[in-house]
Amino acid sequence: MAVAVGRLGPAATGFATALLLVVLAIILGTVVLQGLPALSWRFVASMPRRDFFDMESAAVLPMIVGTTVRVLVMTVFVMPVGVITAVYLSEYARAASPWTRAVRVAINNLAGVPSIVFGLFGLGFFINFLGRGLDGLTGSTGPVWGQPSLFWASLTLAVMTLPVVIVATEEALRTIPSGLREASLALGATRLETVISVVVPNALPGILTGGILAISRAAGEVAPILFTGAAYYTARLPTRLTDQFMDLGYHSYVLATQSPNIEKTRPILFATVLVLLALTFSLNVLAIVVRARLRRHLRQVL
């Protein structure tokens, strides 16, 4: 009986893993098989005409640029704020204090908020409050900051992915042996110097893992950018952070829900989703390469 129960655990976990891989293989296989025939250099490297439901005029260059830029801008904002917050909670804050508990509850609740709520928050706070306030302060004759844009969409995504970075960074900081901190303090370093020179560099691979998870989540999100920056169609690429942009995820949604001919649009939809998956995979690979090089550099230095 004990032997049977002992075998049940590995069998159940193995079955769950196999089931997950099968589902993933079916999804990826369907997207690749359906999308690959419609994929071409013209499709990924040219501007679409307004009738992007037609294969002859469909293209995704502005969507690739818009999705890439919004993810990179989001990363620039979310990483410093998330890492500093995690360092404060891990290295300075008293775990039992009401303030620390309140911050942790806020972070946990933030992680569970539906993404559409972040979009409404971005519309109300960033665009209507901050954006219009900036337009009023600068004396703009028309809306410059007080309208949906790449900048506000990226900030909204940064707020949404903030808990991911904070939790991953805290976990990375906890893995640093306390002996390293004590040795640094014993040599005369201050607490801040210890954090900057010893703790954070050793935790960087784990911190970058949080960045990778944040990029993965933000790249495919549509709801937060619906109200804050995504455009149905633009005739040019975004050149400023205050420009609206086209997005691969939002474009897939448009193709799936607003096409006058579903069968005719289906290859374009699958090709667009394939490009989105490839772009997300590329951004993740880039982050993983940076993490690997950083880890190798730290091993040589420390």
Side-chain angles (χ1 to χ4, degrees):
M1 182 66 181
V3 174
V5 172
R7 289 176 179 172
L8 185 62
T13 54
F15 175 75
T17 305
L19 186 63
L20 179 66
L21 292 176
V22 168
V23 172
L24 182 63
I26 291 173
I27 294 173
L28 291 179
T30 303
V31 172
V32 171
L33 291 176
Q34 299 279 342
L36 208 53
L39 211 56
S40 66
W41 177 249
R42 184 203 62 77
F43 184 73
V44 298
S46 61
M47 296 292 291
R49 292 196 290 271
R50 191 168 186 86
D51 182 19
F52 44 66
F53 299 113
D54 184 3
M55 194 64 221
E56 297 299 321
S57 57
V60 292
L61 177 62
M63 300 77 163
I64 295 174
V65 173
T67 305
T68 304
V69 174
R70 76 166 167 84
V71 169
L72 294 178
V73 174
M74 175 217 72
T75 307
V76 168
F77 281 102
V78 74
M79 289 305 292
V81 177
V83 171
I84 291 172
T85 304
V87 167
Y88 169 76
L89 292 173
S90 176
E91 303 294 324
Y92 292 100
R94 288 182 296 140
S97 74
W99 166 250
T100 305
R101 289 180 179 176
V103 172
R104 291 192 187 283
V105 169
I107 293 170
N108 292 333
N109 287 332
L110 199 64
V113 173
S115 54
I116 189 68
V117 177
F118 285 103
L120 295 171
F121 165 78
L123 174 65
F125 180 71
F126 289 131
I127 296 176
N128 290 339
F129 179 68
L130 288 183
R132 291 183 179 178
L134 283 173
D135 283 341
L137 288 174
T138 56
S140 301
T141 54
V144 176
W145 295 100
Q147 63 178 354
S149 67
L150 193 54
F151 186 67
W152 297 132
S154 302
L155 279 188
T156 304
L157 289 171
V159 174
M160 187 190 73
T161 54
L162 193 58
V164 177
V165 176
I166 293 174
V167 172
T169 303
E170 271 202 279
E171 291 298 324
L173 294 174
R174 287 196 188 102
T175 63
I176 307 303
S178 57
L180 283 178
R181 297 178 177 84
E182 294 166 359
S184 176
L185 295 172
L187 290 172
T190 64
R191 198 169 183 181
L192 180 61
E193 289 171 335
T194 299
V195 169
I196 294 174
S197 304
V198 177
V199 178
V200 172
N202 280 282
L204 265 180
I207 294 172
L208 290 179
T209 299
I212 294 170
L213 294 175
I215 289 172
S216 300
R217 183 179 179 190
E221 280 288 348
V222 174
I225 62 173
L226 278 176
F227 311 110
T228 55
Y232 180 86
Y233 175 78
T234 58
R236 61 183 180 84
L237 297 176
T239 55
R240 298 172 300 180
L241 288 177
T242 52
D243 287 343
Q244 280 193 279
F245 63 99
M246 297 185 77
D247 182 83
L248 281 169
Y250 179 58
H251 189 62
S252 300
Y253 169 76
V254 170
L255 290 172
T257 59
Q258 301 185 30
S259 170
N261 187 334
I262 295 296
E263 293 303 322
K264 185 179 177 183
T265 310
R266 194 187 303 275
I268 307 173
L269 173 61
F270 276 106
T272 304
V273 174
L274 182 58
V275 172
L276 175 59
L277 290 177
L279 179 63
T280 306
F281 182 71
S282 301
L283 291 171
N284 283 337
V285 168
L286 177 64
I288 290 170
V289 169
V290 171
R291 183 182 62 182
R293 289 190 175 184
L294 192 60
R295 185 176 290 166
R296 190 162 55 246
H297 175 72
L298 287 173
R299 283 175 182 166
Q300 293 172 351
V301 172
L302 298 176

